[in-house]
Amino acid sequence: MANVTDLQTKYSKLAQEYSKLRAQNQVLKKAVVDEQANCVSLKDQLKQRDQSLRKQEQEMDSLSFRNQQLAKRVELLQEELAVCEAKGKKGKVIQACVNKGDSPSQHALETKNVFDEDLQKKIEENERLHIQFYEADELHKRQEAQLRARLQELEREAEQHQDAVNGLNTKYTDTIERLHSDKARLELKTQTLEREAQECRMRAEDCQQQLRRCQTELSRQVKQSSSVIQEKVPFNDTKFVHYNSLNVPPHNRRHQLKARDVVGQALSFIQDLVAALLNFHSYTEQRVHIYPRDSSIEPISALNQKFSQYLHENAAYVRPLEESFLQLHQSITEDTVTVLETVVKLKSFADHFSSYVQFLKKILPYQLKSLEEECEAPLCTAALTAKNQELHGDMKRVTSMFEKLQNYINVLALPSVCQDVVPQSSTSAVFTQLAGCLHSLHDAIKEMSKHYNQKAGLEQELPTVTQKLLTTSECLLGSLGSLTSSTGKIATFFSNNLDFFTSPAYSPKGSTVALSPLQAETMLANKKKASAYISAIKKPRPQSVPYSEALSNRRILTSSTESREGLTQQVQQSLEKIARLEQEKEHWLLEAQLGKVRLEKENQRIVDLEAQLAAALGGSLAAQSAAAGTLTQSHEDTEAESTAAGKELTLCTSLVGMLCTTPSVEHVGDEESREQLIKTHYMARVGELTTQLQISDSKAVHFHSECRALAKRLAIAEKSRESLSEDVKRANQNITRLQDELTTTKRSYEDQLSMMSDHLCSMNETLSKQREEIDTLKLGSKGNAKKNKGR
């Protein structure tokens, strides 16, 4: 299925390239048609120029013919002039004729003058026509040369366009043929896979039938074996696995050390991966605020705002990966048993990894929409659009790889939660598939890093690119590089330790069943016993129990179990009876208190009556007898009231609890007042607690907002600190560069000064020599002048 998916992906990519080339072919066809139209128009212009050239040639031919005629006329005139000059010898005759007024000679002279003027005009016209003919000939040659050059250029362009069209047609034909062949191959492969799937279904049905027969046979054998065991074997110490310590594998200390070492290495790789993911998501959030719109200049789109908000929460999904894996590393020690069934912390790591994958799936549509928004920018070129589409596919592939990793990690974490869910034989296949998935993830991230690097190179050529965007792109490329490096290290590490992961470290003797947590506990208990035995060899060892004693202990255990169940029921009944008696005891204690209060009141009343009797001793006997009767009646009434009060008990319930009272008039007011006081007290207490709770909630909300504000300020401060540290680095680099330039300038100036000083010294020496020569010449000239004067 993976090959089919890859072929479908390749087919879709080829289809996209074919659509792009088809669009380019349309553009080129349109350009060729335009050039052909231009070529036709130029040919029409060339024909018009040829026609005008022919007309000018015809005019030139007519002019040359006229010129020949005029030349012949001139020759005739010249001959006539020569004849006339030859006749000049007869001047005398002509003079005489002139004197006599001969009219024919005068007429001949006038004719000669007319011919001379006509000849002069024809010569001037011939000269002018020669000049016009020469100019027209030169203009025609220049235009013909220009048109021929233009025609050659157009023919060359037409040949180039035709070559391009032929190349594109060949390329499209090859692409179409390749796509048809791929389609045919895929259809053939699909048919083959369908046949294989049908065969697999048939084999699966056969296997299911065999499995049903095997289950039926095994159930029959189990029933037969259980009946034999129940009838023939009274005690079997292998019935309960947790009672049998002989089938527990020994503790493998070397495996534990290796496991801790391997998990420690994996922890360092996970930490690098977490740091790279945090940097990648953070720099992606910064880029969303910068490109295609700068949030400091104009507000970004609602989609990018939501995307930035989700990216801001990346630490809540990425940090728990490192923390949960650290807890897993801490749980693996030398004194533990490390198998998939006992590594409970792996489930926590799997859950956190699943939450991170859900986070990736949540932000994936926003990433794709953000790339589409970048493609819709006005300055986005076709190359940038192509790179964005490639990154579109890379992000989908990376998310799918993380989703596959999530599935494999969840499968590996299942045995620690539910035993016998994943067979031991399947774990090795899961580990192998996990190693392949890690390599695929590394390849996908490497491809995405390469495409992003190319995209950043294209963005640097844009005229509107800012330094902030360049810095963010560099940081993003660095995070992608570290992410590629960490995934490659993890894939290599996992492949190198694949034998360790797939090898069974602990398994009971003669069994292929995986180690259960109960067996692991038994193994650790045996290890502790062994270490205690080795540390205290002199102590006597507990002896083993014989088989006969074990049988008797089993009978005793069975009987004691039955008696324990009976005693448990008796204890429960006794506890219920004790609770009921306690309630009755409370009731009668309250009744005794009430009777005691009434007795005190009656005693007080008797004392008052006796006092009244003592005061009335001076009265009559009738009065005394009446008083005695009244006293007796009052005693009887009091006893009757107390009896009725004892018999007619009532229950008073309230918000505080339950109280048994008698319907006495005096107690009713006390109970109501006490109930009211208790209600008032507890309502006041509830009000105070509610106020304190509200104050605590408000303080907690205030502290939470302050913490969030401080966290944001801390993040801003961290960003500013990073930017300032980068500025400081750049400033230090500039200072170092300036110091180097200053040193170089100083050195060059010093060299120039030394050269100038040397030059000045040489010039001073030259000047001094010239002065000496001038002085010598002056002295010589003065001596010569004196000699001349002396002469």
Side-chain angles (χ1 to χ4, degrees):
M1 291 300 291
N3 294 327
V4 174
T5 307
D6 294 338
L7 289 173
Q8 289 178 356
T9 307
K10 291 180 181 178
Y11 185 76
S12 62
K13 288 183 178 179
L14 288 173
Q16 291 176 1
E17 292 180 359
Y18 175 70
S19 61
K20 291 179 184 177
L21 294 174
R22 191 172 181 180
Q24 294 176 1
N25 188 16
Q26 294 294 332
V27 174
L28 289 174
K29 281 184 178 179
K30 186 177 180 182
V32 170
V33 170
D34 295 337
E35 292 298 329
Q36 289 176 353
N38 292 331
C39 186
V40 170
S41 64
L42 289 172
K43 285 181 179 179
D44 294 336
Q45 292 178 4
L46 184 60
K47 288 179 180 179
Q48 293 176 2
R49 295 293 174 86
D50 289 336
Q51 290 176 0
S52 63
L53 184 61
R54 292 192 192 96
K55 288 180 181 179
Q56 289 177 0
E57 286 178 352
Q58 290 175 0
E59 290 178 357
M60 188 176 67
D61 292 336
S62 62
L63 288 173
S64 61
F65 179 71
R66 181 64 177 167
N67 191 12
Q68 290 176 1
Q69 287 181 351
L70 292 172
K72 290 180 180 179
R73 181 74 178 275
V74 168
E75 288 178 357
L76 292 173
L77 290 173
Q78 286 178 355
E79 290 176 356
E80 290 179 358
L81 181 61
V83 171
C84 290
E85 286 179 354
K87 291 179 180 180
K89 294 178 180 180
K90 298 177 181 181
K92 292 180 180 181
V93 178
I94 295 171
Q95 188 67 32
C97 291
V98 171
N99 292 328
K100 290 178 180 180
D102 193 3
S103 59
S105 302
Q106 188 176 359
H107 180 71
L109 184 61
E110 290 176 358
T111 305
K112 181 181 178 182
N113 291 330
V114 170
F115 282 148
D116 289 337
E117 289 178 0
D118 192 10
L119 179 63
Q120 186 68 28
K121 289 180 180 179
K122 294 298 181 182
I123 290 169
E124 291 176 357
E125 185 179 0
N126 190 14
E127 193 174 333
R128 189 177 65 256
L129 289 173
H130 272 292
I131 293 170
Q132 291 179 357
F133 175 74
Y134 179 75
E135 290 177 354
D137 191 14
E138 292 293 328
L139 180 62
H140 173 262
K141 288 180 180 179
R142 285 199 301 271
Q143 290 179 353
E144 185 178 4
Q146 291 177 358
L147 290 173
R148 288 184 185 279
R150 179 64 176 167
L151 180 61
Q152 290 177 359
E153 185 179 357
L154 290 174
E155 287 178 352
R156 188 170 58 254
E157 290 180 356
E159 289 177 357
Q160 291 178 357
H161 287 303
Q162 189 65 33
D163 294 337
V165 169
N166 293 332
L168 288 174
N169 287 330
T170 306
K171 187 176 179 180
Y172 292 154
T173 306
D174 295 339
T175 306
I176 291 169
E177 290 177 356
R178 189 171 62 253
L179 290 174
H180 281 303
S181 62
D182 291 340
K183 182 180 178 182
R185 189 172 61 254
L186 288 173
E187 288 178 353
L188 182 61
K189 191 167 185 179
T190 304
Q191 293 175 1
T192 307
L193 290 173
E194 287 178 355
R195 287 197 300 271
E196 291 179 356
Q198 189 174 2
E199 292 175 358
C200 290
R201 283 196 294 270
M202 293 174 65
R203 287 200 298 269
E205 291 177 357
D206 295 338
C207 292
Q208 286 180 357
Q209 292 178 0
Q210 292 178 4
L211 180 62
R212 292 191 192 97
R213 289 196 295 270
C214 291
Q215 286 178 351
T216 306
E217 182 66 22
L218 289 173
S219 61
R220 186 183 62 78
Q221 292 180 3
V222 166
K223 288 180 181 179
Q224 184 178 359
S225 300
S226 59
S227 62
V228 170
I229 289 170
Q230 289 176 1
E231 293 176 358
K232 304 296 181 182
V233 182
F235 178 73
N236 188 3
D237 58 353
T238 60
K239 183 177 181 181
F240 301 100
V241 180
H242 55 276
Y243 290 153
N244 184 13
S245 62
L246 299 176
N247 203 18
V248 176
H251 186 270
N252 193 346
R253 181 174 175 272
R254 184 178 300 171
H255 173 78
Q256 289 302 122
L257 294 175
K258 176 69 175 176
R260 183 165 179 80
D261 184 26
V262 168
V263 175
Q265 295 177 14
L267 176 62
S268 64
F269 295 142
I270 290 292
Q271 289 173 350
D272 295 340
L273 179 65
V274 166
L277 288 173
L278 287 173
N279 292 332
F280 175 68
H281 292 312
S282 301
Y283 290 131
T284 305
E285 180 187 1
Q286 291 182 12
R287 179 181 169 82
V288 167
H289 285 283
I290 296 172
Y291 188 79
R293 296 180 183 177
D294 194 351
S295 60
S296 60
I297 300 174
E298 57 179 339
I300 61 177
S301 62
L303 179 74
N304 282 337
Q305 288 180 359
K306 197 70 174 177
F307 185 31
S308 173
Q309 181 181 357
Y310 285 152
L311 286 174
H312 191 68
E313 301 171 355
N314 67 88
Y317 298 96
V318 180
R319 290 289 184 191
L321 296 176
E322 181 181 355
E323 296 173 358
S324 59
F325 206 85
L326 180 61
Q327 293 176 1
L328 174 62
H329 177 255
Q330 291 174 354
S331 66
I332 298 174
T333 60
E334 183 182 349
D335 296 330
T336 57
V337 178
T338 304
V339 289
L340 288 177
E341 288 77 9
T342 59
V343 182
V344 183
K345 298 295 182 180
L346 184 60
K347 180 62 178 173
S348 176
F349 176 74
D351 294 338
H352 291 304
F353 194 84
S354 300
S355 63
Y356 175 68
V357 172
Q358 294 299 324
F359 169 71
L360 287 180
K361 292 168 68 177
K362 181 172 67 175
I363 67 173
L364 179 61
Y366 295 96
Q367 286 178 335
L368 305 183
K369 292 291 184 182
S370 179
L371 288 175
E372 292 177 0
E373 187 174 347
E374 289 183 9
C375 293
E376 294 173 358
L379 294 177
C380 185
T381 60
L384 270 177
T385 304
K387 293 302 171 188
N388 286 332
Q389 290 178 357
E390 291 176 354
L391 285 173
H392 189 286
D394 293 337
M395 289 176 181
K396 284 185 177 180
R397 186 181 174 193
V398 169
T399 306
S400 65
M401 288 297 107
F402 270 105
E403 193 171 358
K404 285 185 179 179
L405 280 177
Q406 170 199 354
N407 295 330
Y408 290 134
I409 293 172
N410 287 332
V411 170
L412 292 177
L414 278 178
S416 61
V417 181
C418 303
Q419 281 73 32
D420 299 333
V421 175
V422 181
Q424 182 69 23
S425 59
S426 300
T427 55
S428 60
V430 173
F431 277 117
T432 306
Q433 293 292 332
L434 181 59
C437 187
L438 286 171
H439 283 287
S440 300
L441 176 64
H442 170 62
D443 294 337
I445 294 177
K446 185 177 179 181
E447 194 73 16
M448 184 171 68
S449 177
K450 183 182 75 174
H451 290 160
Y452 211 99
N453 196 355
Q454 295 173 357
K455 178 186 176 183
L458 292 173
E459 285 179 350
Q460 289 179 359
E461 299 175 358
L462 295 177
T464 58
V465 66
T466 60
Q467 185 63 33
K468 191 188 298 183
L469 178 60
L470 292 177
T471 306
T472 305
S473 298
E474 290 177 0
C475 296
L476 194 57
L477 288 174
S479 64
L480 279 173
S482 59
L483 187 61
T484 306
S485 175
S486 60
T487 51
K489 289 178 182 178
I490 290 173
T492 307
F493 160 77
F494 204 87
S495 299
N496 293 335
N497 294 283
L498 189 59
D499 295 336
F500 172 74
F501 291 131
T502 55
S503 62
Y506 298 97
S507 61
K509 295 179 181 180
S511 175
T512 59
V513 182
L515 186 70
S516 64
L518 192 58
Q519 287 178 335
E521 293 178 3
T522 308
M523 184 192 300
L524 293 177
N526 292 339
K527 182 177 180 297
K528 291 179 181 178
K529 288 179 182 179
S531 60
Y533 177 77
I534 292 172
S535 61
I537 298 177
K538 295 182 180 180
K539 293 182 179 180
R541 291 181 296 170
Q543 296 181 357
S544 61
V545 180
Y547 185 73
S548 58
E549 188 175 352
L551 288 175
S552 63
N553 289 337
R554 181 177 181 275
R555 296 190 189 96
I556 294 169
L557 181 63
T558 305
S559 61
S560 62
T561 303
E562 294 175 355
S563 60
R564 185 179 63 182
E565 292 177 356
L567 291 173
T568 304
Q569 293 178 359
Q570 292 178 7
V571 167
Q572 289 178 356
Q573 293 175 0
S574 300
L575 288 174
E576 292 175 357
K577 188 174 182 180
I578 288 168
R580 189 169 58 255
L581 291 174
E582 287 289 337
Q583 292 177 0
E584 291 179 359
K585 177 184 175 183
E586 293 290 335
H587 169 68
W588 290 115
L589 284 174
L590 184 61
E591 287 295 328
Q593 289 177 1
L594 293 174
K596 186 176 180 181
V597 170
R598 286 197 297 270
L599 180 60
E600 289 178 355
K601 286 186 178 181
E602 291 299 328
N603 290 331
Q604 184 66 32
R605 186 177 177 183
I606 290 170
V607 170
D608 294 338
L609 289 173
E610 287 178 352
Q612 290 177 5
L613 287 173
L617 286 175
S620 62
L621 290 173
Q624 290 179 358
S625 62
T630 304
L631 183 60
T632 305
Q633 186 67 30
S634 64
H635 277 289
E636 291 177 357
D637 293 339
T638 302
E639 291 176 357
E641 289 177 358
S642 62
T643 305
K647 290 181 180 180
E648 297 177 1
L649 295 172
T650 59
L651 291 173
C652 296
T653 60
S654 65
L655 294 173
V656 180
M658 183 181 291
L659 180 66
C660 295
T661 59
T662 56
S664 177
V665 178
E666 296 175 357
H667 283 76
V668 171
D670 296 336
E671 291 169 2
E672 291 178 355
S673 62
R674 183 175 62 184
E675 183 74 19
Q676 189 65 32
L677 288 173
I678 292 170
K679 283 183 180 179
T680 306
H681 170 71
Y682 279 105
M683 290 301 291
R685 184 63 178 167
V686 167
E688 291 176 0
L689 292 175
T690 305
T691 306
Q692 292 178 1
L693 181 61
Q694 292 175 354
I695 293 170
S696 301
D697 289 339
S698 61
K699 287 181 178 180
V701 172
H702 177 65
F703 289 152
H704 179 65
S705 60
E706 284 187 355
C707 289
R708 289 186 63 183
L710 289 172
K712 290 181 179 178
R713 289 176 62 186
L714 180 61
I716 295 169
E718 287 291 334
K719 292 180 181 178
S720 62
R721 183 177 66 80
E722 291 176 358
S723 61
L724 290 173
S725 63
E726 291 177 358
D727 293 339
V728 168
K729 288 180 182 178
R730 286 196 294 270
N732 291 328
Q733 292 175 359
N734 291 329
I735 290 169
T736 306
R737 182 174 54 79
L738 291 173
Q739 287 178 352
D740 294 337
E741 291 178 357
L742 180 61
T743 306
T744 307
T745 308
K746 282 182 178 180
R747 191 181 297 111
S748 62
Y749 283 166
E750 288 174 357
D751 295 338
Q752 290 178 3
L753 286 172
S754 62
M755 292 173 64
M756 290 295 292
S757 60
D758 295 337
H759 182 65
L760 285 173
C761 290
S762 62
M763 290 297 291
N764 289 327
E765 290 177 357
T766 307
L767 287 173
S768 62
K769 289 179 181 179
Q770 289 178 356
R771 283 174 187 155
E772 289 176 355
E773 291 177 357
I774 291 169
D775 293 336
T776 305
L777 292 172
K778 283 181 179 180
L779 290 173
S781 64
K782 286 181 180 179
N784 292 327
K786 287 179 180 180
K787 288 178 181 179
N788 292 326
K789 286 180 180 179
R791 289 178 183 176

